[in-house]
Amino acid sequence: MGIFGKRRKSREERAAEIAGQVASGKGFYGRTTRAFLGNEDFARVQQSVGAYNSGLGVQQLLAAGAPTTTAVVVSISDTGQLVNHDPVVDLVVQPTGSTDRITLHTIVSKLRIPRTGDQVLLVADPAHPGTYLYAGDGVAP
């Protein structure tokens, strides 16, 4: 509680709130961003924020002990987008023991970019049953 009884939000909480407004196109920041960027560029911003949020979700799932699935990288392509200086890529993977291929739009570490044939980890997305999120290569940085 603050000096006058009202708790102020931390910078991280305020930044997350603004990012949510920008991604949804609501609130002052969201409407302003949409007006200045136009529909095509605004869609790219929404994709980047979505990739960032999925990365945070994966960290929380792994910390909670969610089971992971191994997969082999079939192909990787750059989208030209960066989030916190890390590239956003389109990653096509094939889970071990399956013939299905999964396409993921995700952030990867610029220090550990997966290559075709590399083994990576996936975690089931609880928000969208039947889909997966990229969880890295399983090697601690």
Side-chain angles (χ1 to χ4, degrees), residues 3 5 16 18 27 34 46 48-50 53 61 72 75 77-78 81 92 104 106 113 115-116 137 140:
I3 194 166
I18 291 171
R34 176 175 272 181
Q46 286 181 311
S48 295
V49 171
N53 288 336
L61 288 170
V72 175
S75 71
S77 60
D78 188 17
Q81 299 172 340
V92 178
L104 304 170
T106 187
I113 297 174
R115 304 285 181 226
T116 301
D137 57 7

Side-chain angles (χ1 to χ4, degrees), residues 1 22 24 39 43-44 48 58 61 67 78 84 90 96 101 104 107 113 121 130-131:
M1 193 160 6
V22 169
S24 67
N39 288 335
R44 289 185 190 145
S48 295
V58 166
L61 288 170
D78 188 17
N84 289 338
D90 289 324
T96 305
R101 291 187 175 181
L104 304 170
I107 298 173
I113 297 174
L121 297 177
T131 62

